[in-house]
């Protein structure tokens, strides 16, 4: 059998496996930053005031973390490892009519929505999650 050979050019000193692990974690961090930037437009800081841009970036980061938390409960669905853009398209970008009564909130989705069954599968996965509680 052939070994899986990986090359990393660096000036760091230490064990090769530790250095490779460091660069792998670094690459994963850069992927998360790219998801925040591209998936949630975290680089859109067009206000002229520092505090307004700070708050805007904070909202982007909160939305990103909420989405990661939600996606983390979808282990047995097709969206378990989905990119943020695909997740937003299939789960969050949906037209619906909301009806409220004294005892219930009804969400009426379009019958032509192509991801309806996926949404129901996701809902079932979230309800089964140990972190879910309806208080």
């Amino acid at each position: 059998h052939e070994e899986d050979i990986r090359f990393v050019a660096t000036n760091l000193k230490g064990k090769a496996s530790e250095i490779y692990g460091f660069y792998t974690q670094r690459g994963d961090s850069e992927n998360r930053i790219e998801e925040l930037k591209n998936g949630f437009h975290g680089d859109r800081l067009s206000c002229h005031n520092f505090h307004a841009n700070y708050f805007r970036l904070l909202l982007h980061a909160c939305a990103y973390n909420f989405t990661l938390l939600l996606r983390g409960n979808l282990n047995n669905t097709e969206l378990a490892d989905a990119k943020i853009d695909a997740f937003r398209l299939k789960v969050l970008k949906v037209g619906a009519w909301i009806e409220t009564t004294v005892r219930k909130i009804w969400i009426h989705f379009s019958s032509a929505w192509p991801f309806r069954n996926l949404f129901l599968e996701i809902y079932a996965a979230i309800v089964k999650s140990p972190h879910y509680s309806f208080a």
Side-chain angles (χ1 to χ4, degrees):
H1 82 98
E2 294 183 24
E3 281 190 42
D4 188 17
I5 300 174
R6 299 175 180 108
F7 294 98
V8 175
T10 183
N11 61 355
L12 292 177
K13 299 201 181 330
K15 288 185 170 182
S17 60
E18 292 172 0
I19 293 171
Y20 182 76
F22 167 76
Y23 278 107
T24 302
Q25 288 175 349
R26 180 178 167 190
D28 191 50
S29 298
E30 290 176 5
N31 289 339
R32 301 294 80 78
I33 293 168
E34 183 180 343
E35 277 190 326
L36 174 63
K37 180 183 162 200
N38 297 332
F40 285 94
H41 306 291
D43 60 340
R44 226 182 252 177
L45 304 174
S46 55
C47 298
H48 297 291
N49 184 320
F50 170 80
H51 290 93
N53 281 329
Y54 176 77
F55 184 69
R56 196 170 182 169
L57 182 60
L58 183 66
L59 288 176
H60 291 299
C62 288
Y64 178 64
N65 283 321
F66 175 73
T67 304
L68 289 180
L69 179 66
L70 183 60
R71 192 178 66 181
N73 289 316
L74 307 178
N75 294 334
N76 297 322
T77 67
E78 72 176 69
L79 293 176
D81 296 320
K83 297 282 185 191
I84 293 296
D85 288 338
F87 183 83
R88 285 178 56 216
L89 174 69
K90 293 180 178 182
V91 178
L92 302 178
K93 286 188 176 183
V94 56
W97 171 53
I98 299 176
E99 176 186 5
T100 59
T101 63
V102 175
R103 294 189 179 133
K104 292 188 179 185
I105 299 173
W106 298 90
I107 303 173
H108 302 276
F109 297 109
S110 168
S111 60
W113 184 34
F115 305 112
R116 183 178 186 279
N117 291 336
L118 177 62
F119 185 85
L120 294 172
E121 184 181 341
I122 290 168
Y123 176 74
I126 291 170
V127 170
K128 290 178 188 173
S129 167
H131 304 293
Y132 176 82
S133 69
F134 188 79

